[in-house]
Amino acid sequence: MLRHLSVRKGILAATIAGTTALGAVGAGYAVLAPVHHAEAAESSYTQKLVLQNLNSFYKPALKGKFPGDMNAYTVGKTTRDEVLDRLGAAEVPRKNASGYDQYTANMGHPGYAFHYNKNNVLNEIRYFGTNVERQTNIGGITMKLLRQQWYAPASTTTIGSGANKQTKMTYIRGDYKLEFIFNSSTDLDHINLIKA
């Protein structure tokens, strides 16, 4: 009889252990399912931010402007003195009249470069995006996404050579051009705004 009780206790212990193990597996699965759902929601949110960022360039470009803080400057109108008065000296100033004044990305603020004609009037703005959360900014814009949202560009050209080869996709926006400069189909380096 004692032996019979020992066997019953062993079976009961095994059953409890098995149920506990299955419960743990089930609990683990229950924990994983919401995490997967949260990742999908985060991915959807990231994609929404990328689209907002991309589309924020569309309308301002018609007026020769970039969105956000750069909306104060107009390609073909704003002078270098006006840019310097508002932004201060560039972190990387141009070395000669044909160079660019570069303002580096920091603390979540995007990087820019400004080029001026011989009269020191702005003739190109480059947008380099942010370093922090880059994937929700310029880093999330791919060639495929650009074509899906803005359709076929006015032109696609290869610039540079060898390891420095890039693809430039140009969209005409009224009197201006928006040029998306890609290192690869999924790596957008920067965006240029120039007169058409």
Side-chain angles (χ1 to χ4, degrees):
M1 173 120 176
L2 282 174
R3 187 166 185 210
H4 187 59
L5 275 169
S6 289
V7 172
R8 279 177 139 187
K9 283 184 183 178
I11 293 172
L12 181 60
T15 303
I16 291 171
T19 304
T20 304
L22 286 175
V25 170
Y29 178 75
V31 171
L32 290 178
V35 170
H36 177 69
H37 181 67
E39 287 173 359
E42 184 178 328
S43 176
S44 175
Y45 178 71
T46 298
Q47 188 66 14
K48 181 179 178 184
L49 290 176
V50 169
L51 287 174
Q52 285 176 345
N53 184 51
L54 170 60
N55 290 329
S56 72
F57 288 90
Y58 199 73
K59 286 185 180 178
L62 284 170
K63 296 178 181 179
K65 298 176 179 284
F66 267 158
D69 292 343
M70 295 302 113
N71 200 9
Y73 311 114
T74 305
V75 171
K77 294 182 182 174
T78 303
T79 66
R80 184 169 189 248
D81 287 340
E82 290 171 311
V83 174
L84 294 174
D85 283 346
R86 183 148 192 250
L87 291 180
E91 287 95 343
V92 183
R94 66 185 186 179
K95 291 185 170 106
N96 53 50
S98 63
Y100 289 80
D101 283 333
Q102 295 180 34
Y103 294 84
T104 57
N106 58 45
M107 301 294 285
H109 294 286
Y112 292 93
F114 297 88
H115 187 268
Y116 305 91
N117 65 17
K118 63 182 180 180
N119 297 319
N120 275 327
V121 174
L122 185 63
N123 67 358
E124 180 181 349
I125 305 175
R126 288 185 174 178
Y127 177 80
F128 292 101
T130 58
N131 293 334
V132 177
E133 297 182 355
R134 190 168 177 81
Q135 246 351 83
T136 61
N137 191 265
I138 200 170
I141 300 172
T142 64
M143 287 183 183
K144 180 180 178 184
L145 178 68
L146 187 55
R147 284 187 181 105
Q148 285 173 341
Q149 294 299 307
W150 292 15
Y151 305 106
S155 67
T156 301
T157 55
T158 300
I159 55 177
S161 62
N164 296 325
K165 190 164 48 171
Q166 296 176 309
T167 302
K168 176 171 63 174
M169 296 174 67
T170 303
Y171 289 84
I172 305 298
R173 300 296 296 137
D175 294 334
Y176 301 91
K177 292 180 186 179
L178 268 176
E179 300 173 334
F180 293 80
I181 312 300
F182 286 90
N183 296 321
S184 72
S185 64
T186 58
D187 180 16
L188 177 58
D189 189 72
H190 65 277
I191 302 169
N192 298 333
L193 178 63
I194 62 173
K195 281 283 239 179

